Amino acid sequence: MDTSILSDKDQIRRAVQIILAPAWVRGDVAELRALGTKKGTVSGYFDGDHCEELIDFAAHWSGNAAGVYITLNPVLRDCLARASNRAIPYAKHATGDRETTHRHWLLIDTDPKRPKGISSTDAEHELALDRARQIRAWLLERGWSLILADSGNGGHQLGRIDLPTDDGGLLQRLLKALQEKFGDDAVEVDITVFNAARISKLYGTMACKGDSVPDRPHRIARLLDVPEQTVVIPRELLESVVAELSGETTVAPSARQQTDEDAPAFDVVGYLQSHGIEVGRSKPYADGGTLWELKRCPWQPEKSGGGAFVIQFGNGGVTVGCHHPECDGKGWSELLDVIDPGRKKPKTGKTGKTGAKKGSSIAQQIVALAAEDELFHTKEKDAYVTTKIDGHHQTWQVGGDFYRLILRGRLHEKGLVATKSALDDAIATLKAKAIFDGPEYVVHVRTAPHEGDIYIDLCNDNWEAIKITREGFSFVADPPVRFVRYPGMLPLPAPVEGGSVSQLREIINITDKDWPLVVSWLMAALRPTGPYPILLVNGEHGSCKSTICRLLRLLVDPNSVPLRDSPKNEQTLMIWAKHAHVIVLDNLSSLSKDMADAMRRLATGGGHSERANYTDDGEALFYSIRPQMLNGIGDITTRSDFLDRTLAINLPVVPKSARKTEKALDAQFAKVHASIFGALLKAVSHGLKRLPDIEKLDIDLPRLADFANWMIAVETALGWEEGTFLKAMNRNEDQSHELAIADSPVAEAVRKFIKQKGQYDGGWKELLKELNKVADKATKRGDGWPKNERALSTKLRERAADLRGVGISVDFHDNDRPKRLSLKYVPQQPEQTEQQQYPSVAALASYGIGDSCLAALTLAKLSRFWNAAALAESVAPVATPLQNPSVCDGP
């Protein structure tokens, strides 16, 4: 069975590396478990040195089992003895809670309610995912860091934690609280996944509950959104969410603790008793905290029995609440209003450590903590901030998760804790300051132009960039442009000089004729400005389409999710484009008209608008221009306006004798990655130097003329002869025209008719009669054949550019009455040898043109079918200017 259809090894590898890394670092192991196979339960234990074996076993059983799972938490290394780095059928033992060594992950599983043992419908699946996103947004606002994933039937969230195996029931209470808040009759939060030995779906494998039917299909589980850094969620945050959902209110430590870290802890019991509150029994709480029951409710003392409680966390923070329904939302402030209404207010006018006045609200203190950050906005009125961290500048969205964490961290250093509402108020204020008081700047993802140079964000921890000038490239510690980073962006290697782009040719499965197109796409993708060509990779099973696309992306914009499925709509595509420099769509069978139009606009610069959430007339605007790749089997699309913007390549099937594992390919690529990157940067520098002279030439260029000029400027730095790019581009255009015509019965019939008749000048009705004589019966009975002259006009106009590309001129005389058109066959010159098409500089010199490289370049660009003699005759009047060596000083 072809496991590539039933699994996604890139996803499996990424999930394994993210989830199991903490266990393997500790020297522990993980269990892989496949349930519901024909050989019972299949299980095996793997250590960090056998990651690839685990991945291979998982891919093998995906689709052949009801589900493939891994343990989320580290397992005792002794368990290797059950099945050491292999998976065995009919396994008798599975991991138990006592065999786990620690808790590294919290799983929040949202599932649609449905009969057991079957997959979810598309509507149920999407509803559960939306609920997971809703919970995630709520938790992110409270300072959490979460991975979002698709389980195949619903939504998963994974939170990095650091708890003992016996967590005192904390996670169980948390899941129950989330279910009470977010669960309903349609979607539930699974409250049974709290145990330490919990297994979870391995992303990249198929979820196969029941039979796969059209209404309830099997789906591959996938990682959807992985934060740039998986930050451990402190126990205090876990506890605070439980407290909030249980009706408690978390507050900061006392004012004395906030201003003096060495001061003794606030005496909660003494304070309460001094104000007439009877404190009952106490019991230990998490991480050194204490919970006290109050003998009477402060707000309803007439009620018998308790209900109210006070918690002091280990860090000094105090929380108050009550189980009486009437006391919902009561907290510390409400308690003080009852027991100490005349309490002394802090004096104003003096400032504390935050820079805010003493007595300021938490929101005001957060705003004060951001005083040294540079707030600004973009043309679209999006708010951003540039802040200095560890000696280098970073740029983030003001309302984004990471800047919220930065602010929470600063507040925590002052002994303060922010509630959600306080942080929201502060963020709203900072956004307003950025938009109304801050300057307007442009933000960039991965590449940026600046004063004629190009900057590339290496995305490393030091926020370094590469600066490319006409003289070469260099490292820059603090680039003058504002790069922003989004989840999934990975670092580029430090470039190494002395390499060659041809090193890539030895790794990937590309034909000689397609090689210039592949390198041309890379060279375009390294530019910060478009338009960009779309690389269309066709090939059969076994031609390494996905692998090649993944490696090409690694060279210019590495990402933890290098390949994506087709987006469900244009808005999704535009959001992806906002968050990454390169878009790669994997394993497509077709491309809808709307999506082809969206990708075409994205290649040349396009916008998209949606009604803003929670508004009546607000508009959310998206504008991007991005390099794109897509791969598939067969003709993914035949739309002319899309093919005009593509570089289409066809991969040969890799012979069995030449096949390599992905691990071997990745290892081979890793050895030369930095040197290939360096060679590409050197070519970019060369292009910057030559481009101004190239743009002065008055010549015919193919579609995407800016891209063509760029490639003509850089090709000699790649070791190519002048004209190599245009020759490959011309061939690509010819193939695109042929593909489009082959897909159109009308265009095929017109070509056949005009080749026979030579020309046509007349009306649409008469032309349809002539074409009906040329076409066979099967063609005329097909849906694509026009039944009247109006339909003929529409279909012929769609393919007019392609007909011109194969030598048939098409002229529409729409102002005539009745309307008519002219068609004429223009025989193309026979294909000449490369030497005839692109004579050497010496050949040019023999005709008196001069030995300037610009003259050779002019020939290459003007003479698709000319020879040297013809060129000499045509350019003789301008031969003298071409001999000026100052116009071309490149190699």
Side-chain angles (χ1 to χ4, degrees), residues 661-676:
T661 65
E662 287 193 10
K663 182 178 181 180
L665 275 175
D666 288 345
Q668 185 181 1
F669 178 80
K671 292 179 180 178
V672 295
H673 189 177
S675 58
I676 296 174

Side-chain angles (χ1 to χ4, degrees), residues 191-427:
I191 62 174
T192 68
V193 298
F194 60 84
N195 61 305
R198 171 57 46 184
I199 57 174
S200 180
K201 188 70 55 59
L202 178 52
Y203 310 115
T205 65
M206 185 76 72
C208 300
K209 288 191 175 181
D211 290 339
S212 183
V213 296
D215 289 342
R216 295 185 177 276
H218 294 165
R219 305 178 185 89
I220 291 180
R222 295 186 180 280
L223 291 166
L224 299 179
D225 191 351
V226 180
E228 183 178 355
Q229 295 179 333
T230 51
V231 181
V232 173
I233 305 168
R235 180 158 193 156
E236 297 81 49
L237 277 182
L238 299 171
E239 294 279 7
S240 66
V241 167
V242 174
E244 181 177 353
L245 293 176
S246 301
E248 305 168 23
T249 303
T250 303
V251 298
S254 67
R256 181 173 54 185
Q257 284 179 293
Q258 294 172 10
T259 56
D260 187 354
E261 295 178 359
D262 297 326
F266 177 51
D267 183 3
V268 176
V269 175
Y271 180 81
L272 293 175
Q273 290 177 340
S274 68
H275 287 80
I277 300 295
E278 294 185 72
V279 179
R281 62 180 181 177
S282 66
K283 59 181 179 180
Y285 203 67
D287 283 353
T290 305
L291 181 147
W292 292 274
E293 295 177 356
L294 304 184
K295 292 185 177 181
R296 287 191 176 275
C297 172
W299 300 284
Q300 300 183 84
E302 70 280 0
K303 286 198 171 185
S304 60
F309 57 88
V310 176
I311 299 174
Q312 186 170 33
F313 295 112
N315 66 355
V318 179
T319 244
V320 180
C322 184
H323 296 306
H324 294 145
E326 300 86 353
C327 297
D328 183 31
K330 302 292 187 183
W332 183 254
S333 295
E334 289 75 17
L335 177 62
L336 294 181
D337 289 339
V338 172
I339 67 175
D340 192 10
R343 63 190 183 277
K344 187 177 180 181
K345 304 292 185 181
K347 294 181 179 179
T348 60
K350 295 182 180 181
T351 60
K353 291 184 179 181
T354 64
K357 291 181 179 180
K358 287 187 176 180
S360 300
S361 69
I362 293 293
Q364 290 172 319
Q365 294 184 62
I366 295 173
V367 172
L369 286 169
E372 295 184 3
D373 297 337
E374 183 185 19
L375 296 165
F376 68 95
H377 63 272
T378 62
K379 182 173 61 176
E380 295 79 20
K381 301 300 181 184
D382 291 329
Y384 287 88
V385 58
T386 297
T387 182
K388 195 169 186 178
I389 299 177
D390 295 333
H392 54 265
H393 290 91
Q394 302 181 7
T395 298
W396 301 98
Q397 284 186 302
V398 171
D401 296 340
F402 199 84
Y403 191 57
R404 286 173 176 266
L405 289 175
I406 291 173
L407 294 176
R408 281 190 180 275
R410 291 175 182 174
L411 203 62
H412 179 70
E413 290 176 357
K414 307 302 179 184
L416 301 173
V417 178
T419 62
K420 172 186 177 299
S421 60
L423 185 59
D424 285 347
D425 289 345
I427 289 294

Side-chain angles (χ1 to χ4, degrees), residues 72-94:
L72 291 176
N73 295 314
V75 179
L76 286 170
R77 193 171 184 86
D78 292 343
C79 292
L80 269 179
R82 291 175 180 165
S84 179
N85 295 305
R86 63 192 182 100
I88 59 173
Y90 306 111
K92 297 180 180 180
H93 303 284

